[in-house]
């Protein structure tokens, strides 16, 4: 099979690349990012890395006509971007997705769209079911621009689905593992990792009672590959997550214990980290029935095991090694 992965040089994309290459498929990635996360595949004859943007229409058209399936992962992700550069988030996530879908529609190629658990916002209907409501805050709170941009992307997917394009929408729940962001920046696990390595206190935002269900990348990738192969997934939204719920306070304690670090925990007010443009989500838990039934995937790596593997990987890279 020929697989095109936009955003293939990112965290999820690079693991997806590895998974398809391991199956014997051909993979082309389209990404503006450096080849850091896919460098180990550059000599692989089945792999091609096109350093360009989804807005380069001709290149995109050429690549989509080449492939059998499009994984659209190219997006601006990360809380620091939601509050730092909402324009970029909206432009890439909405207009970039529309462009990819348009070209795929003309070429009649299936699209797997990577969406997010952020789409549910701060809904209180736990666990989050794919057809449940979305609950978001004001448009003056920049945090919600990411959720909104991905929801628009989903709407575009279903608009094209109505016109005959095969699409699958995947909503990822806090996926983590080797190659996630850089130490000290990005998502909570890499921020805590950087703090652990430097032996400084872990910054738990708020009271730390907010929860997440962290999903080990290997489990997320098995579901992602299946989404492109299973006919039953077409036209559906599927949560990709784990149902192991943990509070951020307990996550910090677990990471300190596993790493054997002497770091402590410090509680910091939300506003001091992200300013007024941020609101936290108090509980986020997926319903993973569809992932089990439609994709045939059940999460297999418990949080403790996944964290051990992740910490081990980042230790091997060293503090500078993953920049
Ligand atoms: N968080 C934290 N300390 C940090 C960074 C994040 O306690 O230094 C918390 C954050 O407030 C949120 C959770 O960790 O409740 C997950 O944050 P992340 O940015 O990784 O992703 P989110 O699930 O909020 O999109």
């Amino acid at each position: 099979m020929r697989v095109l992965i936009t955003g293939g040089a990112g965290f999820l994309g690079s693991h997806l690349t590895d998974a398809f290459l391991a199956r014997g498929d051909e993979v082309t990635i389209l990404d503006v990012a450096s080849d850091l996360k896919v460098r180990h595949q550059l000599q692989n004859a089945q792999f091609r890395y096109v350093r360009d943007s989804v807005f380069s229409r001709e290149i995109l058209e050429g690549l989509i006509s080449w492939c059998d399936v499009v994984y659209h992962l190219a997006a601006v992700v990360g809380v620091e971007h939601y509050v730092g550069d909402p324009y970029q988030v909206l432009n890439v996530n909405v207009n970039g997705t529309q462009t990819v879908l348009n070209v795929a529609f003309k070429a009649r190629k299936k699209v797997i769209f990577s969406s997010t658990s952020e789409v549910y916002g701060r809904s209180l209907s736990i666990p989050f079911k794919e057809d449940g409501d979305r609950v978001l805050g004001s448009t003056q709170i920049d945090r919600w621009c990411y959720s909104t941009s991905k929801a628009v992307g989903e709407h575009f997917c279903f608009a094209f689905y109505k016109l005959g394009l095969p699409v699958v929408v995947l909503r990822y729940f806090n996926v983590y593992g080797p190659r996630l962001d850089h130490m000290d920046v990005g998502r909570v696990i890499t921020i805590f990792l950087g703090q652990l390595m430097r032996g400084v206190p872990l910054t738990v935002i708020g009271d730390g009672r907010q929860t997440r269900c962290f999903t080990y990348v290997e489990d997320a990738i098995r579901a992602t590959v299946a989404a492109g192969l299973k006919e039953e997934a077409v036209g559906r939204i599927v949560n990709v997550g784990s149902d192991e719920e943990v509070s951020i306070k307990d996550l910090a304690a677990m990471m300190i214990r596993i790493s054997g670090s002497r770091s402590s925990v410090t509680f910091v007010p939300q506003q001091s980290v992200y300013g007024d443009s941020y609101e936290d989500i108090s509980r986020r838990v997926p319903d993973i029935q569809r992932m089990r039934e439609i994709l045939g995937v059940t999460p297999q790596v418990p949080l403790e095991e996944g964290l051990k593997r992740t910490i081990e990987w980042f230790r091997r890279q060293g503090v500078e090694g993953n920049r």
Side-chain angles (χ1 to χ4, degrees):
M1 191 162 80
R2 290 174 164 182
V3 185
L4 173 66
I5 307 175
T6 72
F11 164 58
L12 264 183
S14 69
H15 285 280
L16 191 60
T17 296
D18 291 346
F20 276 114
L21 289 171
R23 274 171 36 96
D25 297 305
E26 285 179 67
V27 176
T28 294
I29 67 169
L30 175 65
D31 204 313
V32 290
S34 89
D35 62 9
L36 194 63
K37 296 185 201 293
V38 289
R39 209 165 268 174
H40 56 288
Q41 297 288 8
L42 291 177
Q43 303 307 318
N44 189 331
Q46 301 279 94
F47 174 68
R48 188 166 43 142
Y49 161 52
V50 178
R51 190 162 187 183
D52 216 315
S53 145
V54 291
F55 291 115
S56 298
R57 184 88 184 202
E58 270 180 37
I59 289 180
L60 186 67
E61 283 172 354
L63 295 178
I64 289 185
S65 69
W66 164 86
C67 74
D68 300 309
V69 59
V70 183
Y71 277 88
H72 179 46
L73 275 64
V76 180
V77 189
V79 171
E80 74 276 20
H81 298 295
Y82 317 158
V83 298
D85 195 354
Y87 171 75
Q88 268 299 92
V89 172
L90 291 163
N91 186 39
V92 174
N93 298 3
V94 175
N95 299 328
T97 299
Q98 187 187 5
T99 305
V100 168
L101 288 165
N102 240 306
V103 176
F105 177 66
K106 288 190 181 125
R108 299 175 186 279
K109 301 293 169 71
K110 187 198 273 190
V111 178
I112 318 300
F113 176 58
S114 69
S115 187
T116 170
S117 53
E118 280 274 327
V119 162
Y120 296 103
R122 54 176 183 220
S123 164
L124 297 175
S125 311
I126 301 287
F128 295 162
K129 287 190 195 322
E130 288 86 345
D131 43 16
D133 288 343
R134 296 184 287 125
V135 181
L136 307 184
S138 159
T139 50
Q140 288 197 295
I141 304 287
D142 293 325
R143 173 182 189 129
W144 304 114
C145 77
Y146 178 68
S147 172
T148 301
S149 72
K150 285 291 188 176
V152 173
E154 292 192 13
H155 270 301
F156 268 122
C157 284
F158 292 115
F160 278 102
Y161 177 64
K162 269 200 159 165
L163 298 173
L165 180 72
V167 294
V168 184
V169 171
L170 300 179
R171 290 184 180 158
Y172 295 99
F173 282 71
N174 293 81
V175 183
Y176 73 101
R179 301 187 208 139
L180 175 68
D181 302 322
H182 301 309
M183 223 139 25
D184 283 320
V185 294
R187 284 153 272 197
V188 65
I189 289 185
T190 33
I191 292 176
F192 284 174
L193 265 166
Q195 292 164 339
L196 283 174
M197 303 290 166
R198 286 181 288 110
V200 300
L202 272 56
T203 52
V204 171
I205 296 177
D207 62 9
R209 281 170 33 196
Q210 68 272 34
T211 70
R212 296 291 185 272
C213 293
F214 294 94
T215 311
Y216 192 63
V217 65
E218 238 174 61
D219 289 327
I221 292 298
R222 285 190 299 119
T224 309
V225 170
L229 304 177
K230 303 238 177 196
E231 215 32 55
E232 314 88 273
V234 171
R236 310 299 298 270
I237 303 171
V238 185
N239 288 337
V240 175
S242 108
D243 46 12
E244 186 180 346
E245 186 179 9
V246 67
S247 71
I248 298 302
K249 200 168 50 156
D250 289 348
L251 172 77
M254 193 187 273
M255 289 181 70
I256 290 173
R257 178 168 52 76
I258 292 173
S259 66
S261 155
R262 275 178 308 207
S263 292
S264 56
V265 165
T266 174
F267 291 87
V268 295
Q270 176 181 305
Q271 212 193 3
S272 70
V273 187
Y274 295 118
D276 288 333
S277 278
Y278 179 74
E279 280 177 356
D280 213 335
I281 288 166
S282 60
R283 233 184 130 194
R284 180 187 285 159
V285 181
D287 180 305
I288 54 173
Q289 194 70 12
R290 277 196 197 173
M291 174 168 134
R292 288 202 178 93
E293 284 175 11
I294 298 179
L295 303 182
V297 173
T298 299
Q300 283 173 359
V301 183
L303 181 60
E304 175 140 0
E305 171 61 22
L307 285 174
K308 277 184 191 155
R309 293 189 204 172
T310 307
I311 291 171
E312 183 56 32
W313 186 87
F314 274 92
R315 277 213 170 113
R316 281 203 306 274
Q317 302 303 302
V319 177
E320 293 302 323
N322 68 329
R323 280 177 202 281

